[in-house]
Amino acid sequence: MRQSFLFTRTSKESPKDETSYNARALVRAGFIDKVAAGIYTLLPLGLRVHQKICRIISEEMDAIGGQEVLMPALTPKESWQATGRWDSFGALFKLMGQDSREYALGATHEEIVTPLAKKFVFSYKELPVFIYQIQTKFRNEQRAKAGLLRGREFSMKDLYSFHTDKDDLSEFYKLAQKAYFRVFERCGLLDHTYLTFASGGEFSKYSHEFQTVTESGEDTIYVCGKCAIAVNEEIIEEQKACPNCGNKKLEKTKAVEVGNIFKLGTRFSRAFGFAYTDGEGGQHDVHMGCYGIGPSRLLGTIVEVYHDEKGMIWPDKVAPFKAHLIKVPGDHPGLSKAAEELYRNLEGAGIEVLYDDREDVSAGEKFADADLIGLPLRLVVSAKTMKKNSVEVKRRDEDKVELVALGEIVRRLS
Ligand code: ATP
Ligand code: MG
């Protein structure tokens, strides 16, 4: 994409009404735009990252047998009354239709997915089944000051699993844990993310969160250095040692919950009368699990974890583009032509490139923009590099620069 074509621009200064680093950097670099507290527009650069994160999540959910659907965001009061959550889910956004009936904007979808599965599943032969979506969720969060980390409108991947019994649920639960770690690995967060034991419920002692360590996180966790496992502060009084190895020297740190998996047992299947028949004609409640990840929160978390004083530093697989090609305005007859040709060749080879072709912008501003936007590779074509018929290549996360022949670069990056 040509930078001159982008309708958004970077700003010289961070927005004054944002306190979190992720929102300040993302707004300043033109990835997101703030509409109101906890409500943002994803701009072209931000949307590209979001789409990549969603794609990674979908691939990993498909790989464990997930079937993707898209449920409505507008959900009837009756569904929530069936589970008692119309009154107990504090953050529910409620609204009235012209038909004088009440609705809630979906904050989670057990109330919709359980009756859905019930329409198709009757026998043990149809279980297990795994249904997921990536969708906009709404929660009337009290504090929405952490940018994308806590939106009032945000994206969530929510998967729901349906099983004949506890053991089958437990087996899938472990599989889902592994799939989650593959997601965080591909998003570049594996080394910072811990499987964290949190409070369970009626049906299991624990639930599990995936907590990414960052100063800006709202949660406090206690990490076991030996196991790469953590305990959420909320259960540390009951769980003072590592649940895996018994280590009592846990390290206290701030983290953000990027994912959460939970055994629901029969709470929701009972509420909706969702049962199946076994081989002998007996009826049993379906066992359920739920598995959430927030793609928009992940986007903000990546920014919190990967930045320096100049701006963001995107991990390769979620960067909006792989390379930032910069044409430095200068006195060399072949300069413009070489830069244009390089841009075409990179695009032709399927390499995602943001091409700073702007004429009226200084080299200094272009470099500052490249650091702020934070694409993994910076490619510079200038009068100086043209004398050597080459491009200057620099990784965003390294200081080293290297000259590569113009004719070589596409092959190098492919
Ligand atoms: P938290 O404890 O942070 O309030 P939660 O436990 O209520 O989150 P879940 O209901 O389990 O979250 O939602 C699944 C995932 O959705 C979370 O792990 C998180 O990644 C994301 N998520 C939840 N609430 C928000 C929000 N307000 N803004 C952005 N992402 C969110
Ligand atoms: Mg939580």
Side-chain angles (χ1 to χ4, degrees), residues 255-372:
V256 54
E257 178 204 305
V258 287
N260 193 350
I261 63 177
F262 211 98
K263 289 181 182 169
L264 299 170
T266 56
R267 162 146 172 41
F268 292 94
S269 50
R270 283 223 181 123
F272 290 102
F274 181 20
Y276 70 93
T277 44
D278 64 23
E280 279 84 50
Q283 290 269 85
H284 308 272
D285 292 325
V286 170
H287 284 253
M288 290 173 58
C290 69
Y291 314 80
I293 298 185
S296 53
R297 181 180 282 183
L298 257 182
L299 199 166
T301 303
I302 294 168
V303 174
E304 294 287 347
V305 172
Y306 295 110
H307 67 263
D308 61 15
E309 66 290 349
K310 293 177 184 157
M312 302 181 282
I313 305 173
W314 290 101
D316 286 29
K317 288 178 185 140
V318 295
F321 296 90
K322 182 170 184 180
H324 207 151
L325 170 61
I326 296 176
K327 180 176 80 176
V328 172
D331 246 353
H332 189 287
L335 174 64
S336 274
K337 193 162 160 266
E340 290 287 327
E341 195 173 299
L342 181 53
Y343 172 55
R344 274 199 309 276
N345 290 343
L346 288 166
E347 289 235 299
I351 296 160
E352 295 173 301
V353 56
L354 180 63
Y355 172 32
D356 193 346
D357 58 339
R358 295 173 300 172
E359 294 294 346
D360 49 354
V361 178
S362 72
E365 279 175 80
K366 288 190 175 198
F367 289 146
D369 268 4
D371 283 338
L372 180 63

Side-chain angles (χ1 to χ4, degrees), residues 35-236:
V35 176
I39 308 176
Y40 296 91
T41 296
L42 289 175
L43 298 170
L45 293 175
L47 183 61
R48 287 180 76 97
V49 180
H50 192 263
Q51 284 168 336
K52 288 189 179 182
I53 293 172
C54 290
R55 165 73 78 86
I56 289 171
I57 295 172
S58 287
E59 285 175 3
E60 296 300 344
M61 294 304 107
D62 292 347
I64 55 171
Q67 299 188 49
E68 189 168 3
V69 299
L70 184 57
M71 291 180 267
L74 196 57
T75 62
K77 178 180 184 179
E78 292 71 26
S79 308
W80 295 88
Q81 282 176 321
T83 61
R85 291 209 289 186
W86 179 261
D87 295 316
S88 67
F89 201 112
L92 214 52
F93 269 111
K94 298 174 179 173
L95 54 157
M96 178 82 75
Q98 297 238 32
D99 51 6
S100 296
R101 294 173 68 161
E102 287 182 278
Y103 298 85
L105 295 178
T108 177
H109 276 73
E110 285 84 357
E111 277 77 359
I112 306 300
V113 78
T114 311
L116 168 69
K118 186 187 169 187
K119 285 180 188 160
F120 296 98
V121 173
F122 300 95
S123 134
Y124 72 97
K125 290 180 191 158
E126 287 143 348
L127 292 168
V129 64
F130 320 118
I131 303 173
Y132 79 96
Q133 64 176 346
I134 295 178
Q135 197 223 26
T136 304
K137 294 277 193 278
F138 301 85
R139 290 186 188 176
N140 201 352
E141 303 275 7
Q142 278 191 339
R143 288 172 302 141
K145 288 185 189 146
L148 294 189
L149 301 189
R150 187 166 296 284
R152 292 195 291 151
E153 173 172 337
F154 58 96
S155 61
M156 194 199 288
K157 182 284 299 174
D158 41 333
L159 184 143
Y160 305 88
S161 69
F162 301 88
H163 308 265
T164 50
D165 54 60
K166 271 194 215 138
D167 291 345
D168 198 56
L169 168 58
S170 292
E171 210 173 293
F172 181 77
Y173 193 84
K174 279 186 227 135
L175 210 64
Q177 268 179 27
K178 289 195 185 130
Y180 268 45
F181 276 117
R182 284 194 295 275
V183 168
F184 301 125
E185 191 206 340
R186 292 173 69 181
C187 291
L189 289 175
L190 186 63
D191 294 344
H192 304 264
T193 304
Y194 295 92
L195 181 70
T196 303
F197 287 67
S199 56
E202 209 182 315
F203 296 93
S204 61
K205 189 170 177 202
Y206 304 113
S207 68
H208 293 89
E209 298 169 341
F210 297 80
Q211 293 273 4
T212 303
V213 170
T214 157
E215 258 316 297
S216 55
E218 288 176 2
D219 293 0
T220 300
I221 61 169
Y222 290 77
V223 174
C224 170
K226 293 181 192 158
C227 301
I229 275 182
V231 177
N232 192 308
E233 183 176 45
E234 68 185 21
I235 62 163
I236 196 71

Side-chain angles (χ1 to χ4, degrees), residues 371 376-378 392-396 398-401:
D371 283 338
L377 283 176
R378 190 184 76 184
E392 183 199 275
V393 182
K394 181 187 168 299
R395 276 195 65 86
R396 176 65 180 85
E398 288 174 13
D399 291 326
K400 177 177 95 209
V401 294

